[in-house]
Amino acid sequence: MIQFDQVEKKYPDGTQAVQQLDLIIKKGEFFVLIGPSGCGKTTTLKMINRLIPISDGTLRIDGKKISEFDIHELRWNIGYVLQQIALFPHMTIAENIAVVPEMRKWNRSKISRRVDELLEMVGLDPSVYRNRKPSELSGGQQQRIGVIRALAADPEVILMDEPFSALDPISREKLQDDLLELQRKIQKTIVFVTHDMKEAIKLGDRLCVMKDGKVVQIGTPEEIIEHPANDFVKSFIGSHDRIEGRKVKEVAVQFPIGLKEGRTISAGAPISEALQLLAETDVLIIEENGQLIGSVTRETIIQFLAGEVRA
Ligand code: ADP
């Protein structure tokens, strides 16, 4: 668990980047910091691994103040992925992935197994990619290496600062899908910075919307879309008006095989009603004129909304 208590950051030139920040990021959670440029997202992220020192307040990881950690231990235990692909150009892919395990003095065979395991995890054949140089990979593949490099020594926490924003839209969507898939397997605490609401809604278990160095709203994607705290959040997500009046039928997916019973909802019901019911049940069966025409889950709605909000 990562806990910010009244954390402040004032840069030496007097810029107050973050103010009175209170945040609890739960273990295993995919937590997204979102907001316009300059609102303090990167500063917040970098305070976690002490790349930026805090000016006031306390920041704890699993109950221990970050100032009390040995700096190397702290950095090694926190994976970090940046927007700019920061692979070492003269080293092979395997050597790039092995940087932190090497520093931790893992033995050769353990490192080698780990490298292969990670490459396979993101669908890159080790026999093909191990010995390549970063320049021999596409931008999307390089960024995939950036992600697994951050996972190499099995850290509990991974910080990601706009990791996909330099990629073309197709690679970006693919990497988002891969990351979700990966997170289902590894269940790490991920703190992810983006200014793209669509990305935030797609990836986050919870989002923290920031403005001018302060938290404006924290909640699940549904909570934020359904109940934006103020006009700033409303305009930032830009989607609220669009769910209004939309019907469950528009988000219907195929009837799941084997599903025999469950709560039903009428095809003409508003999406917001389905969202409320889905707080209590995993799937709703859509009924139209006495026939069961499909089903809807929380994921279906989130995907629909992610496709609707402006990029
Ligand atoms: P974001 O990641 O949301 O774009 P940042 O955390 O990078 O925002 O920046 C927050 C504020 O702090 C901005 O006003 C930015 O100009 C300022 N800032 C960032 N880094 C520094 C620095 N090293 N010195 C002074 N001001 C900075």
Side-chain angles (χ1 to χ4, degrees):
M1 185 175 82
I2 304 170
Q3 188 169 4
F4 289 74
D5 269 317
Q6 291 289 301
V7 170
E8 305 266 337
K9 176 65 198 178
K10 196 174 195 174
Y11 284 105
D13 69 354
T15 307
Q16 183 80 43
V18 169
Q19 291 179 58
Q20 298 171 340
L21 192 63
D22 284 326
L23 273 185
I24 291 183
I25 301 170
K26 299 176 217 161
K27 206 175 178 67
E29 172 169 57
F30 200 128
F31 192 86
V32 178
L33 296 167
I34 170 123
S37 181
C39 71
K41 305 180 294 293
T42 298
T43 302
T44 302
L45 192 78
K46 286 183 172 172
M47 289 191 294
I48 298 173
N49 64 356
R50 279 171 53 193
L51 281 174
I52 292 177
I54 64 176
S55 309
D56 208 350
T58 27
L59 210 175
R60 294 187 181 87
I61 297 182
D62 292 337
K64 183 168 163 178
K65 284 188 188 172
I66 54 160
S67 54
E68 289 167 3
F69 282 89
D70 170 73
I71 187 75
H72 301 295
E73 266 310 302
L74 186 77
R75 299 264 167 84
W76 292 345
N77 283 320
I78 298 180
Y80 187 44
V81 188
L82 290 157
Q83 175 187 348
Q84 292 309 328
I85 302 154
L87 300 178
F88 300 109
H90 306 296
M91 286 164 41
T92 65
I93 296 307
E95 287 163 348
N96 264 285
I97 299 171
V99 170
V100 176
E102 290 275 0
M103 286 194 280
R104 305 193 93 170
K105 307 213 182 322
W106 288 16
N107 69 43
R108 294 225 150 263
S109 62
K110 184 175 174 189
I111 293 179
S112 172
R113 278 199 309 275
R114 183 69 179 153
V115 167
D116 288 357
E117 179 186 47
L118 288 163
L119 283 168
E120 278 164 9
M121 226 191 254
V122 290
L124 295 172
D125 181 351
S127 65
V128 176
Y129 291 98
R130 260 185 155 272
N131 298 317
R132 287 206 186 170
K133 293 280 169 57
S135 61
E136 296 165 328
L137 268 60
S138 72
Q141 289 171 334
Q142 290 184 37
Q143 201 55 320
R144 210 162 281 172
I145 302 301
V147 172
I148 57 176
R149 182 174 64 174
L151 297 175
D154 212 18
E156 277 308 309
V157 175
I158 299 149
L159 310 180
M160 300 185 134
D161 195 351
E162 307 235 7
F164 308 142
S165 57
L167 300 174
D168 63 89
I170 294 172
S171 311
R172 186 171 182 162
E173 282 211 11
K174 177 82 181 66
L175 261 80
Q176 290 167 347
D177 294 341
D178 285 359
L179 181 61
L180 279 178
E181 175 81 33
L182 200 63
Q183 171 64 349
R184 270 193 267 276
K185 288 184 210 150
I186 59 177
Q187 295 283 303
K188 301 288 182 184
T189 308
I190 299 181
V191 190
F192 189 104
V193 164
T194 182
H195 60 263
D196 176 354
M197 197 62 180
K198 189 171 159 184
E199 182 166 77
I201 289 174
K202 178 170 174 183
L203 296 176
D205 293 321
R206 286 195 306 150
L207 320 184
C208 169
V209 184
M210 296 180 71
K211 179 175 185 269
D212 301 333
K214 291 187 182 152
V215 172
V216 185
Q217 186 171 11
I218 299 178
T220 62
E222 298 93 313
E223 283 163 358
I224 289 178
I225 289 164
E226 277 284 279
H227 307 289
N230 58 24
D231 287 345
F232 168 76
V233 179
K234 216 180 256 185
S235 71
F236 197 68
I237 54 181
S239 72
H240 189 62
D241 298 341
R242 286 188 233 171
I243 359 176
E244 214 101 305
R246 304 297 284 264
K247 307 219 178 331
V248 166
K249 196 176 175 176
E250 298 178 57
V251 291
V253 288
Q254 223 173 10
F255 204 71
I257 299 164
L259 183 74
K260 295 208 173 57
E261 52 190 42
R263 285 181 81 158
T264 56
I265 185 164
S266 131
I271 289 177
S272 54
E273 186 181 321
L275 267 179
Q276 276 160 18
L277 293 172
L278 285 165
E280 292 153 24
T281 181
D282 291 340
V283 56
L284 292 170
I285 297 170
I286 304 175
E287 194 183 45
E288 187 172 44
N289 303 325
Q291 294 208 316
L292 306 180
I293 61 160
S295 68
V296 59
T297 63
R298 177 180 176 270
E299 282 74 33
T300 333
I301 297 179
I302 297 288
Q303 266 169 18
F304 171 79
L305 294 172
E308 287 287 306
V309 304
R310 64 159 193 258

